[in-house]
Amino acid sequence: MSEALTESRRLSKTVCILCRQRKIRCNRKLPKCESCTRAEVDCQYIRVKNKPGLRAGYVSELEERLAKVEKEIQLLKADRTAPPIDIPSEAASSPPSHSPRGAPHSLSNVSPHSMRCSSFDLDPLSVANLKELCAAWFDRYHAWFPILHQPSLLEVLDTAPILESTIYYSVFKAIAAVTMTHSHQMDILTYEQRRQWSEDLRRQVLIEAIDQLSLQSLQAVLILSIKDYGAGCLSEFWNLIALAKRMGTQLGLRDLVANHCENYNQVSKIPPRMLPLPISLVNKEEKIRAYWMTEILDGSSTIGAAWNLNISTPETSGLLPCSDTVWAFPEAVISVWSFGDFEIASAYSLYVMLVTNELFHVHRFLQQSFDIQSTTQRVQWQNEGKAVDERLITWRSKFGTASIRMSAESGTSYDPNIIMTRCTLDLAILSLYQRLALPPSGVEEVQGPWYHAIQRCLDACDSITNTLRGMHDSDLENINPLLIPSIFVASRFFLVHAKILNVEIPRNLDLLVYCLKTCGLRWALARRLEKVIRTATADHKLPSSMSSLPVQFYDLQYSYLDIDEALRTWAEGLKPWMHLAGLEHPALQQNSILLPNMGFLAATGGELIVDSVPITEN
């Protein structure tokens, strides 16, 4: 028995060379194994040495070393109040996560300051950060975008145990996406990190809006539209408005506004709809405001377009937004008023009336086609344009009286909706007349300029300038980005008029350029259009064909919307500050361009964001 065991152990330490090379099982039969017998080859064995084992006490020593290292790591963590974040090497190339609780994945431009922050500070959806971002929203945006009830939203933020479970969570995400890029609360992050967070939150809100229909998801989409328009992404902006209009239709908002809920689940003259009644006065008012804001964004963003737009017909008897004073009260105070009291006029309601009623006739007029070379059609078009202009003049008179009364009642001379209404009126006049004011080359020799149209356009440009002159820089920086086209169109008309008629550029252009520069502190669209105006001013004495700008800029047959994409492409291909070369106009002095607003730089720590690239004061 012992001899057999000894032989077995001896054989276990020997290996057939052929089986080892072929990596096949060997039965280790002596003198020749089965595989070598079939192959008719000599069978040779080699002795395999046993691998040495671990020395005595090695495992215990390793455990002691591991415990010592763990203790040292814990001491290091305790000593460092803000440990750096461990970022995976593949983070820069991986797409952003849709998780709202993780840090941004792509941190290609990380500063040492932003790296030394905790995960709590990196979370814009934490309660502390959301309170700051919501405060920024209601301080800088709400006045001209009043679709949310501030007391109700802030109450949810203060009392909800889990924000993710509330119906307002998508609204909070949208507010964070819009405000965080210019919020001091997010200064712990680099501008690029904030931008990536903003884009990630935008994607989350849109996915949720498509997945689940609700009033709050519609509000979130409308809030996001500000971000896209201010960035100059007009195609993306109009996509959001199209989505918002369809969501509003499904929610029955037009039925609520136009029919006063009379066709909600009841027999009526018009076809009824299976829709729930508003659950509260605040809920009803938010639906009214969401409907009108959708219509405002659609109508005001397309002024001047001769495209075949699907603009809604006016709702002359529809429910209007309530008084701004009433809207600032909590639900318990608002319940004192009845539904009918919500028709009290406000500055926002006046803006709604202009865009949705009066501008409808401007849109319809501009969408008509006519032969510019036909004298008969030209005269007909002039008369129809004058008729639409008369409507605007009449409405302006009523608006002036109402705005004076509201300013006296509120005790303040500044209201962003009053500013928007005035400038939108002037933009409508410019859009009405600019195509007929200065005919294109080949037609102007036969028909000549239409001086009535030229004068109306110049008056509108001066009116825009006078309106902006009374604004503080801080108000101009925080204004609705829909104001930017009014400034650009007025500047463009000043330049093209001076170039074609060979006259001096009006001094009012100085203020318009400064307003674009101030708006550009927040909105990329204004920064882009400022480059265009500065370049056109520098090229004023050159033939249009020699200007670096697209030739359509100097042809007023094209609206600002028609040339927007060409100007965007031009601006993206422009080398930094190349539009400052050859400046001759007093409005464009070099020393006022490179450091446009020293006061703003000092207030923000010396950092100015231009085209998403931080430029720091030396």
Side-chain angles (χ1 to χ4, degrees), residues 42 68 102 208 297 331 344 407 412 450 528 580:
D42 293 336
K68 184 179 179 180
E208 293 168 5
L297 295 175
E331 169 85 22
I344 300 173
S407 298
T412 177
W450 185 21
R528 186 173 78 204
L580 304 181

Side-chain angles (χ1 to χ4, degrees), residues 195-207:
R195 187 193 64 79
Q196 291 172 5
W197 261 114
S198 178
E199 290 297 324
D200 187 42
L201 291 174
R202 178 185 182 275
R203 285 190 291 270
Q204 292 181 42
V205 171
L206 291 182
I207 292 173

Side-chain angles (χ1 to χ4, degrees), residues 434 461 487-498 509 512 533 551-561 563:
Q434 74 171 27
C461 295
I487 306 174
F488 174 73
V489 171
S491 304
R492 181 192 180 199
F493 188 86
F494 274 151
L495 288 167
V496 176
H497 169 261
L509 181 65
L512 295 178
I533 297 302
V551 67
Q552 291 82 4
F553 173 85
Y554 299 98
D555 188 351
L556 294 181
Q557 299 300 304
Y558 296 96
S559 71
Y560 76 98
L561 295 173
I563 63 176

Side-chain angles (χ1 to χ4, degrees), residues 355-397:
V355 175
T356 59
N357 289 350
E358 300 306 317
L359 293 191
F360 171 79
H361 303 284
V362 177
H363 286 295
R364 187 173 61 178
F365 169 76
L366 292 177
Q367 291 173 32
Q368 299 177 10
S369 60
F370 80 103
D371 185 0
I372 194 172
Q373 296 182 343
S374 171
T375 303
T376 303
Q377 290 193 27
R378 177 180 171 86
V379 172
Q380 179 182 353
W381 215 59
Q382 289 175 347
N383 293 333
E384 292 180 7
K386 284 183 178 180
V388 176
D389 187 21
E390 289 296 328
R391 287 185 60 98
L392 296 178
I393 293 174
T394 303
W395 196 90
R396 185 192 291 270
S397 177

Side-chain angles (χ1 to χ4, degrees), residues 403-472:
S403 62
I404 292 174
R405 174 180 59 81
M406 291 178 185
S407 298
E409 292 175 353
S410 62
T412 177
S413 59
Y414 172 74
D415 189 305
N417 290 301
I418 297 295
I419 299 295
M420 288 300 305
T421 303
R422 290 174 179 170
C423 291
T424 302
L425 263 172
D426 294 321
L427 177 60
I429 293 172
L430 284 163
S431 301
L432 273 176
Y433 283 117
Q434 74 171 27
R435 287 187 64 190
L436 295 174
L438 299 167
S441 178
V443 179
E444 58 182 352
E445 293 83 356
V446 179
Q447 298 177 350
W450 185 21
Y451 289 100
H452 170 78
I454 293 176
Q455 190 59 51
R456 289 292 291 145
C457 288
L458 290 175
D459 290 343
C461 295
D462 291 336
S463 177
I464 292 174
T465 308
N466 293 333
T467 299
L468 299 176
R469 184 174 284 114
M471 295 182 63
H472 295 292

Side-chain angles (χ1 to χ4, degrees), residues 527-536 539 547-550 566-581 610-611 613:
R527 297 197 292 271
R528 186 173 78 204
L529 297 181
E530 179 197 356
K531 292 180 181 180
V532 174
I533 297 302
R534 290 187 183 278
T535 301
D539 294 346
S547 174
S548 63
L549 289 170
L567 294 180
R568 183 191 64 81
T569 304
W570 171 85
E572 289 178 353
L574 192 67
K575 294 182 179 180
W577 305 108
M578 279 298 294
H579 55 293
L580 304 181
V610 179
D611 284 344
V613 178

